[in-house]
């Protein structure tokens, strides 16, 4: 086989702020045979995006390629002039960026941007280019392929934009396509559609590609060969199958272990004891309430749940499902439009201003982004000391001692006490964040996507810490996440949120086997498995999503449901069905029907295309 | 479409409300006098009766809010009282001077805006190179220096050393081209220089902010040339901020006109205002101040309209 | 060692700017002591003399030493501008912070008023106030300070509103902290750095405004004279291109450009 791309001894250097230099990619070599897909996998700071961009001989501000050779076909990319480079970029090598939402020019129509490449490189006359674009839209399973190009980027969804960007990359029929984390910013149910579309065009057109990702399971679906990167160096490389079955490098094994958290052993909550928190008929939203008493924009509706002492409630949902609003409503940061909350058998006012200090102390919130959750002007000691003084009136040596105990609890060295928190790593920051919540000695900690911004290995350690703290301190968690495997791993009960409504509720065990609510089913089946060929095997129909307004009360999943019952689902509000395994679903289907659908679907599974 | 019209109307309403508030502020300041303006006008020799009579005539015995409403009404009806210093109707004085100032400001705008955009765009296109540093340095120099310094240096060079132009600007009623140039060359040159500095600086900043967006990186990776990247991709998205920068700088023009008219003895509204400050001629001062504020608000409004119209999210 | 670090941090132009700024602050403190002659002292019967060893910057329209008058005038320009910039910074930051953490109604009304004040061009605003109140030195300080307060307010409020939405403020709010603690302990420390940069720029604006007012004869009044007054009183020397008019103008330029260079280097080389 002929190598389409050959990279040898690539070294990229960044200049640091104070005039120093730092090597961010060192001695990286790999090659890609024509028609194959090579994955660059690594965590943040591994240099994967830097390497990907360098294939276009493009580096971000402050970096430069210090040495190495890059050969594309017969040409030496490193020896090209500026003019030659311009005719390389977009024409022979094209790029699909991570966030299509910001990589499209907001003031130009999509078709104009897609055709721009053909205009710059004069590959095709306008008419032909346009019809090829429409053909690509169709191949990428985009809706309304004839007219979608005339829209502006803000008028199409994230998943569609990502596919449109792929169309932009493919329109010049380049020799190499670089996909840079193209599905990372997407919801899991959208990701699977996009992956499927990508996979199809890559296979059908025999495209040579570099696929950059941090997610091994995604890479397993897309790539023929994998290069594992860590801190700018290659740790291991080889064919995907070989790497997945028999990883040689310690770091690769660590990545694989962290990718799928093992089932935790928490959950000794005693059901007989009164719950820490119970919520009844909670409705919340933004804007002035209208005549019907509902807020202008309703985010959450008819939410009911309770959290037994010492247990973890998982809340799972996609972006826009209202899961963060739920945490903020419980914390008192978002006013309730309706409903009641009970904290340790006493009513908990929705308005924060009406809560007493004890009630405030008992509920603590930990945010997703540790970078913004810690005040950059404060030291670690000051951050931890404040809740001690505020809730427990501690001061002097007693407080200092307690601050050190807290650091110990989250496994941080006392040496960081006097550092401003900006100097800490992401994982350390999240630990300080947790320690601050623990300082209050709360009954309930609201964890809002606390591991989502972290690299997988670091995230796994934080999850372990959470479980350890629960065993020691008997604290309860409300654990909010978009990642069902994490939730299944550490939570006792799980609640599935869709468009502000609970669609399924049950104990952790009920989430390991069907029957589920159709949405839960879609969610679970959309999570890529760490096995090759999963994408072809998982034959669920592409989500439709008409985007139309659903009348209040009706099933919120109506427009995407694959097993909709016409005449019933779109007319009558769905009832709660209690299934045999102990979970409850908000659905017209009964136990047998849901189990039957799943079985039928599984029987009919076959690779598509 | 309705959203755009709605936005524009709301913006217009906000401008009018601001102007009303400004009028109240101007009225308040000019009526918070520690001394008695009538006493001051008539001098210490005036008898209390005379003072009282003039007070009554000027309506100074009414409560403040009534005086404000009267004042507002008289300004809106186009007859804002009589100048204390030269005993002429303010409207007449202003009508004579305003067109001259507008001419000066207009010519300056026509010269300065395109030049500033050009300079700003060139600097942004060469962002980070020597060309950019040189332009930015020059621009900073002009911006950091008072207008009267620029004017003085200009006079020194063109009128004193080279003897090309006269240092005093007075346009005869029907100027020939030579006279016209002679009159306006120096004031326009000076004003433009300062203005170009301001605007070019802000234009460059607005463009550079756009150039750091991910979609610019994408355009580069599509093989677009630097000129295409700036003109086709960054510029359309910077229209809003640039329009804003232009409006803000033109407010600077308002201030600059004051100095320039005085230095070159140009008979415009600004030198009239400076005289009214020296003479504490409040009826005249109030009108001049309101004219400047209204002029500025109109410019900002125009900039906002440009920003709204250039935003594709509001287009259908 | 220290100089080397400074150089690395600020670059050449930044260091030059810092040196100029420090020079002017020193002159404003020590100028009257170091000046070879008194500001009102007539040192030569020849007016508008060119530069010479005897009169380093020549003589002015009355035959006084221009160098001595500049050294004396610096304290008015730098002193008033520093005090006025501090006043504007304190008032503007305080009000901006107050607005940002107050109820929506309070925030709206303060912001509307400040917007209205902002739409009065600076020079016009100052002129109206001078006409109404006069132009003694304390009044000039107040007037120039108040003129620039709305500008500071706008920046401070925007900054505070942004910070107010960041998660760490939400955490403190959820803890039950009061508004005063939020404003002073959580928001304010993160405003200091940008507001200091803004202070430097305001200082430059105020020097320019004050000099312009004095140039119009409406600023610092005789017998005192700031740098702007010196340009005004020697305008008749323009036809002879006397240093009496060029030197004070260059003095103002070196001060404002110096501060500008320093601040630009602080904001990072863009």
């Amino acid at each position: 086989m002929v190598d389409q791309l050959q990279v040898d001894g690539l070294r990229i250097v960044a200049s640091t702020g104070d005039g120093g230099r730092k090597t961010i990619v060192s001695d990286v070599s790999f090659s890609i045979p024509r028609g194959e897909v090579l994955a660059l996998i690594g965590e943040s700071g591994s240099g994967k995006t830097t390497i990907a961009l360098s294939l276009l001989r493009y580096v971000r501000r402050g970096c430069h390629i210090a040495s190495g050779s890059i050969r594309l076909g017969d040409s030496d990319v490193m020896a090209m002039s500026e003019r030659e480079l311009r005719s390389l970029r977009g024409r022979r090598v094209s790029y699909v960026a991570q966030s299509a939402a910001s990589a499209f020019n907001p003031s130009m129509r999509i078709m104009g941007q897609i055709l721009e490449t053909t205009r710059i490189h004069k590959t095709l006359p306008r008419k032909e280019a346009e019809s090829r674009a429409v053909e690509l839209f169709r191949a990428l399973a985009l809706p309304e392929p004839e007219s979608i190009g005339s829209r502006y980027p803000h008028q199409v969804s994230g998943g569609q934009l990502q596919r449109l960007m792929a169309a932009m990359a493919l329109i010049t029929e380049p020799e190499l396509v670089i996909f840079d984390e193209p599905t990372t910013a997407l919801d899991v149910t959208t990701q699977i559609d996009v992956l499927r579309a990508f996979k199809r065009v890559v296979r059908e057109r025999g495209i040579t590609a570099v696929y950059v990702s941090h997610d091994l399971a995604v890479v397993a679906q897309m790539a023929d060969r994998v290069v594992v990167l860590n801190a700018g160096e290659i740790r291991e490389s080889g064919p995907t199958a070989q790497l997945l079955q028999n990883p040689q490098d310690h770091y690769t094994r660590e990545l694989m272990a962290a990718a799928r958290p093992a089932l935790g052993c928490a959950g000794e909550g005693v059901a007989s004891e009164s719950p820490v928190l119970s919520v009844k008929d909670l409705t919340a939203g933004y804007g002035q309430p209208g005549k019907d008493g509902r807020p202008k924009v309703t985010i959450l509706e008819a939410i009911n749940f309770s959290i037994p002492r010492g247990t973890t409630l998982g809340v799972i949902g996609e972006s826009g499902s209202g899961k963060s609003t739920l945490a903020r409503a419980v914390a008192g940061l978002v006013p309730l439009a309706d409903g009641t909350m009970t904290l340790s058998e006493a009513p908990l006012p929705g308005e924060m201003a009406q809560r007493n200090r004890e009630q405030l102390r008992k509920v603590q919130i930990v945010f997703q982004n540790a970078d913004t959750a810690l005040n950059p002007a404060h030291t670690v000691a000051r951050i931890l000391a404040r809740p001690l003084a505020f809730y427990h009136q501690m001061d002097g040596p007693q407080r200092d001692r307690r601050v050190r105990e807290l650091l110990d609890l989250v496994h941080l060295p006392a040496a960081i006490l006097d550092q401003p928190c900006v100097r800490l790593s992401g994982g350390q920051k999240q630990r300080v964040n947790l320690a601050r919540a623990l300082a209050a000695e709360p009954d309930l900690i609201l964890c809002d996507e606390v591991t989502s911004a972290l690299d997988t290995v670091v995230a796994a350690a934080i999850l372990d810490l959470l479980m350890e703290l629960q065993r020691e301190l008997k604290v309860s968690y409300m654990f909010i996440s978009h990642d069902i495997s994490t939730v299944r791993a550490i939570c006792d009960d799980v609640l599935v949120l869709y468009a502000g409504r609970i669609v399924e509720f049950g104990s952790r065990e009920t989430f390991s086997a069907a029957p589920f609510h159709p949405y839960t089913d879609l969610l679970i089946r959309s999570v890529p498995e760490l096995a090759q060929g999963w994408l072809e095997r998982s034959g669920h129909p592409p989500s439709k999503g008409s985007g139309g307004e659903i009348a209040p009360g009706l099933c919120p999943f109506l427009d995407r449901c694959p097993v909709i019952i016409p005449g019933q689902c779109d007319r009558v509000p769905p009832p709660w069905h209690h299934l045999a395994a102990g979970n409850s679903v908000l659905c017209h289907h009964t136990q047998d029907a849901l189990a039957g659908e799943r079985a039928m679907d599984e029987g009919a599974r076959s690779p598509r295309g | 479409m309705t959203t755009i019209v709605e936005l524009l109307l709301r913006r217009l309403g906000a401008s009018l409300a601001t102007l009303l508030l400004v009028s109240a502020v101007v009225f308040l300041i000019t009526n918070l006098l520690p001394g008695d303006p009538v006493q001051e006008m008539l001098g210490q020799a005036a008898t209390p009766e005379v003072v009282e009579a003039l007070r009554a005539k000027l309506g100074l015995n009414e409560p403040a809010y009534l005086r404000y409403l009267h004042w507002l009404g008289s300004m809106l009806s186009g007859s804002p009282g009589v100048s204390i210093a030269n005993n002429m109707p303010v409207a007449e004085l202003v009508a004579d001077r305003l067109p001259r100032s507008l001419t000066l400001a207009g010519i300056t705008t026509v010269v300065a805006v395109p030049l500033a955009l050009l300079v700003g765009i060139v600097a942004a296109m060469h962002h980070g190179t020597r060309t950019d540093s040189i332009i930015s340095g020059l621009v900073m120099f002009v911006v950091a220096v008072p207008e009267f310094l620029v004017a003085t240096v200009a006079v020194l060079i063109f009128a004193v050393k080279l003897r090309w132009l006269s240092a005093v600007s007075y346009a005869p009623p029907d100027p020939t081209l030579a006279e016209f140039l002679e009159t306006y060359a120096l004031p326009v040159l000076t004003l433009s220089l300062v203005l170009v500095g301001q605007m070019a600086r802000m234009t460059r900043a607005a463009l550079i902010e756009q150039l750091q967006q991910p979609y610019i990186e994408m355009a580069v990776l599509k093989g677009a040339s630097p000129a295409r990247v700036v003109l086709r991709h960054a510029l359309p998205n910077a229209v809003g901020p640039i329009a804003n920068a232009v409006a803000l700088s033109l407010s600077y023009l308002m201030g600059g006109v004051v100095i320039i008219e005085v230095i070159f003895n140009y008979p415009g509204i600004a030198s009239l205002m400076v005289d009214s400050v020296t003479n504490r001629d409040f009826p005249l001062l109030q009108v001049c101040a309101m004219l400047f504020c209204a002029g500025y608000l109109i410019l900002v409004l125009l900039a906002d309209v440009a920003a709204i119209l250039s935003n594709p999210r509001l287009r259908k | 060692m220290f100089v080397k670090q400074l150089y690395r941090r600020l670059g050449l132009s930044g260091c030059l700017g810092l040196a100029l700024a420090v020079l002017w602050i020193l002159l404003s403190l020590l100028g009257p002591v170091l000046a070879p002659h008194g500001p009102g002292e007539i040192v030569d019967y020849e007016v508008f003399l060119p530069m010479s060893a005897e009169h380093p910057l020549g003589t002015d329209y009355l035959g006084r030493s221009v160098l001595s008058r500049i050294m004396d005038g610096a304290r008015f320009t730098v002193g008033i501008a520093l005090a006025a910039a501090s006043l504007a910074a304190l008032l503007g930051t305080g009000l901006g912070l107050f607005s940002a953490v107050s109820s929506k109604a309070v925030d709206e009304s303060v912001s509307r008023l400040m917007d209205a004040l902002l739409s009065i061009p600076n020079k016009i605003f100052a002129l109206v106030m001078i006409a109404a109140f006069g132009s003694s030195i304390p009044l000039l300080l107040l007037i120039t300070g108040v003129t620039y307060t709305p500008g500071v307010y706008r920046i401070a409020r925007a900054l505070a509103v942004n910070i107010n939405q960041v998660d760490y403020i939400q955490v403190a709010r959820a803890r039950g902290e009061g508004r005063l603690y939020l404003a002073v302990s959580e928001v304010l420390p993160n405003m200091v750095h940008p507001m200091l940069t803004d202070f430097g720029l305001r200082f430059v604006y105020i020097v320019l405004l004050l000099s312009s007012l004095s140039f119009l004869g409406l600023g610092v009044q005789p017998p005192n004279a700031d740098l702007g007054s010196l340009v005004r009183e020697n305008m008749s020397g323009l036809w002879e291109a006397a240093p009496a008019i060029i030197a004070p103008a260059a003095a103002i330029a070196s001060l404002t450009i110096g501060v500008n260079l320093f601040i630009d280097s602080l904001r990072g080389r863009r």
Side-chain angles (χ1 to χ4, degrees), chain A residues 249-260:
Chain A
D249 188 78
H250 166 72
Y251 179 74
T252 315
R253 285 200 289 267
E254 208 176 312
L255 267 185
M256 289 182 67
R260 293 289 161 259

Side-chain angles (χ1 to χ4, degrees), chain B residues 144-214:
Chain B
V145 155
E147 303 97 334
F148 65 79
L149 180 89
V150 179
T152 317
V153 171
V155 169
L156 209 56
I157 295 174
F158 294 106
V160 178
K161 291 286 177 202
L162 299 174
R163 300 195 175 280
W164 287 356
L165 301 160
S166 103
V168 175
S169 299
Y170 184 78
D174 281 307
T176 62
L177 184 65
E179 280 170 335
F180 185 84
L181 281 177
E182 168 105 18
T183 308
Y184 286 104
L186 271 185
V188 168
L189 175 79
T190 321
L191 262 181
S192 303
L193 207 58
V194 179
L195 217 56
V196 167
Q198 287 277 352
M199 266 189 269
R201 189 180 191 161
M202 290 197 256
T203 303
R204 172 182 174 272
L207 269 177
I208 286 179
E209 191 182 332
Q210 287 301 322
L211 287 176
Q212 283 158 350
Q213 301 296 319

